[in-house]
Amino acid sequence: MRILVLGGTSFVGRAIVDDALRSGHEVTLFARGRTVPGLRSQPVLLRGDRRNGDYAALAEGTWDAVVDVGGSVPRHVRQAGETLGDRVGRYLFVSSHAVYAPGAGPGADESAPLRTPEWDTEEVGPDTRGPLGVACEQELTSRYGGRATVVRPGILAGPYDGGDQFTYWVRRAARGGRVVLPADPGQPVQLLDVRDLARLVVRLVEEDRGGVFNAMGPAEPLTLMGMLRACARAAGSEVEPVLVPPETIKARFPLVRPDPVWEQTFQRDFGRAREAGLPSTPLVTTAADVLAWDRERGEPPLGVGPTEEVERVLLSYVQGA
Ligand SMILES: NC(=O)c1ccc[n+]([C@@H]2O[C@H](COP(=O)([O-])OP(=O)(O)OC[C@H]3O[C@@H](n4cnc5c(N)ncnc54)[C@H](OP(=O)(O)O)[C@@H]3O)[C@@H](O)[C@H]2O)c1
């Protein structure tokens, strides 16, 4: 198949491109060309800038499918659709679980209520990301109808992850010893290996399948404690979790969701994606691959989670209490 990927060089898109190439498809990338992918076999890169509405490089060509990983405001999707029109067969948009309104109970599926769409700003932040995503999805389906596919991933993990949330726990578990866990250890966690998401996306376009798909993982329910143990197993380390009441500390820990509303975000139903072929890589494998990648890149400071120093202070406080 001929697949056009809007984006495709950083994390999520990179995994999709890698899977598509491995599956024997012909891939074209559209991006500014600032992020260098270093993929095994380099696809053609068409340069443009969605922020400026510069889609001139896409004025010609036909593709069986377009996978949009870089659209964050509805104008991006509208302009891409206006440019590509019927020169693409299927338009798959990688959206996110942020589109869901809070409050749906555990087990909520793709029919759960969405946030109110936002059309009047292009500022993407914690309050607007979800509403802008809803507007992107509406822009897509109003143009492409049955030729539209929407994939809504939860938190993703894997090599090249710039979000650092899972990487924090992988790195922390590898260090071993006493580990501060400021949460209910039984708190559910949903985490999807980015390569599983990529397989689902490529499969959906291969099968020309429309509709909306939640994309979470792993297949079996996971808790925070289970995640920490899996990370330790991947590293061959020993960890001793030290449970701390979350309300007693200010430091924020990745993937810890004290608020019950947010806890529900980790109990979404993703049966439709599983039925469509979403794989479930064992978490130990994901953790081992993240650990290897993180070490290879030299373990730079992470954007989330407490530093070693802050955790040491927390531990001494807990020991002294
Ligand atoms: N990480 C998660 O846990 C998670 C969870 C749910 C959903 N998602 C979704 O995944 C998507 C992001 O994934 P990603 O960043 O890893 O995707 P990616 O496709 O790997 O990287 C973003 C791409 O967009 C290109 N780009 C950035 N600004 C551009 C512009 N102005 N014009 C044209 N191209 C531009 C970048 O290349 P250049 O810099 O070279 O332009 C890069 O190729 C988002 O839609 C996000 O909502 C992520």
Side-chain angles (χ1 to χ4, degrees), residues 25-48:
H25 301 301
E26 193 184 313
V27 177
T28 307
L29 301 180
F30 175 80
R32 293 167 305 177
R34 292 188 191 171
T35 321
V36 181
L39 293 158
R40 257 169 281 142
S41 75
Q42 194 76 34
V44 171
L45 170 68
L46 301 176
R47 286 170 197 265

Side-chain angles (χ1 to χ4, degrees), residues 34-212:
R34 292 188 191 171
T35 321
V36 181
L39 293 158
R40 257 169 281 142
S41 75
Q42 194 76 34
V44 171
L45 170 68
L46 301 176
R47 286 170 197 265
D49 191 336
R50 304 185 81 177
R51 196 177 279 262
N52 310 335
D54 171 14
Y55 289 87
L58 295 179
E60 287 176 3
T62 58
W63 291 272
D64 299 301
V66 55
V67 175
D68 188 348
V69 202
S72 47
V73 301
R75 177 177 60 86
H76 293 161
V77 179
R78 184 170 60 253
Q79 291 178 332
E82 281 165 2
T83 306
L84 294 166
D86 288 334
R87 291 185 291 115
V88 295
R90 175 157 300 282
Y91 195 129
L92 184 149
F93 178 68
V94 178
S95 183
S96 125
H97 62 145
V99 296
Y100 288 114
D109 65 12
E110 291 83 352
S111 64
L114 301 182
R115 293 175 186 270
T116 306
E118 169 64 65
W119 302 93
D120 296 331
T121 182
E122 296 209 341
E123 292 297 320
V124 184
D127 294 336
T128 58
R129 183 171 288 110
L132 285 167
V134 178
C136 287
E137 291 186 6
Q138 290 186 2
E139 195 67 69
L140 172 71
T141 45
S142 70
R143 175 175 293 273
Y144 283 100
R147 285 158 57 207
T149 309
V150 172
V151 176
R152 295 177 180 154
I155 305 279
L156 298 165
Y160 303 102
D161 180 9
D164 291 343
Q165 301 207 70
F166 184 57
T167 309
Y168 169 83
W169 289 109
V170 168
R171 201 187 275 187
R172 181 61 196 88
R175 231 171 50 234
R178 288 158 61 82
V179 178
V180 171
L181 200 59
D184 172 357
Q187 181 211 294
V189 179
Q190 286 186 322
L191 267 179
L192 179 65
D193 189 305
V194 72
R195 296 159 298 187
D196 293 338
L197 171 75
R199 187 81 285 275
L200 172 72
V201 164
V202 174
R203 194 154 172 184
L204 290 172
V205 298
E206 283 170 343
E207 295 178 0
D208 196 27
R209 207 162 159 172
V212 183

